[in-house]
């Protein structure tokens, strides 16, 4: 069970619980139903970031439903 933070369905960024839109991409498609918290600090050097198409440093959900 994830915390009540909200993951973005578009970019997988994990936002604060009271977020209305994703602070990274501006999408309003946020969900509490996510799993696997990763912090990416250097997207250019990260295989996970490449797999997830992440280009900005930040915290992300591995799985978003
Ligand atoms: Zn987003």
């Amino acid at each position: 069970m994830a915390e009540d933070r909200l993951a973005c369905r578009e970019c997988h960024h994990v936002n604060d619980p009271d977020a209305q839109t994703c602070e990274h991409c501006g999408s309003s498609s946020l969900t509490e139903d996510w799993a696997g918290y990763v912090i990416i600090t250097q997207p250019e050097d990260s295989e996970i970031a490449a797999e997830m198409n992440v280009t900005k440093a930040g915290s992300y959900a591995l799985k978003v439903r």
Side-chain angles (χ1 to χ4, degrees):
M1 185 68 192
E3 305 167 48
D4 55 359
R5 292 207 272 176
L6 299 168
C8 173
R9 289 193 179 93
E10 303 299 327
C11 73
H12 287 203
H13 177 67
V14 175
N15 295 273
D16 291 335
D18 59 351
Q20 301 298 311
T21 57
C22 176
E23 64 177 296
H24 268 204
C25 72
S27 170
S28 58
S29 184
L30 307 177
T31 176
E32 293 178 25
D33 194 3
W34 58 275
Y37 185 68
V38 291
I39 296 172
I40 293 172
T41 52
Q42 292 181 301
E44 61 277 4
D45 291 333
S46 166
E47 286 179 26
I48 294 173
E51 256 175 52
M52 293 172 63
N53 295 317
V54 165
T55 54
K56 293 181 193 171
S59 46
Y60 293 88
L62 279 178
K63 282 189 191 169
V64 179
R65 293 186 187 88

